[in-house]
Amino acid sequence: QVQLVESGGGLVQAGGSLRLSCVASGRTFSIYRMGWFRQAPGKDRVFVAAINRSGIGRSLEDSVKGRFTISQDGTKNKVYLQMNTLQPEDTAVYYCAAGATASGEYDYWGQGTQVTVSS
């Protein structure tokens, strides 16, 4: 099993920045890819960004390109989501996820961290 714990959420004004962190523990050697998803009130959870644990291969959802960056630390057990130029439509609960294969599916999920952007 893999456990994921997110942190870094909060309240920020439009145009501001936040950095989310996600720490993985447990059977981290089984992780192939880590990603971030978000769920706004009344909406489905959607993909935001992902990074392969090898560090080769990153993807971002179109609406966050140029504003968000995904990265990982040297241990590859910690993933960051740097969010700049935040807008009210970025308000959501942000979830960290980990997938064990290259299939694109995610097997493990964190509890989520709230990001609120005020206008």
Side-chain angles (χ1 to χ4, degrees), residues 6 18 20 35-50 60-65 67-69 81-97 106 109-117:
E6 305 100 333
L18 282 175
L20 304 183
W36 288 96
F37 290 72
R38 65 186 179 185
Q39 186 168 20
K43 296 187 177 181
D44 293 334
R45 187 160 56 188
V46 297
F47 170 79
V48 176
L60 291 166
E61 193 270 328
D62 285 346
S63 70
V64 306
K65 286 180 180 177
R67 301 189 299 125
F68 291 12
T69 303
L81 185 67
Q82 177 67 43
M83 306 186 294
N84 299 327
T85 320
L86 284 160
Q87 300 300 316
E89 51 267 35
D90 295 315
T91 294
V93 177
Y94 284 71
Y95 296 91
C96 179
Y106 289 85
W109 294 85
Q111 298 280 358
T113 185
Q114 176 70 47
V115 172
T116 303
V117 185

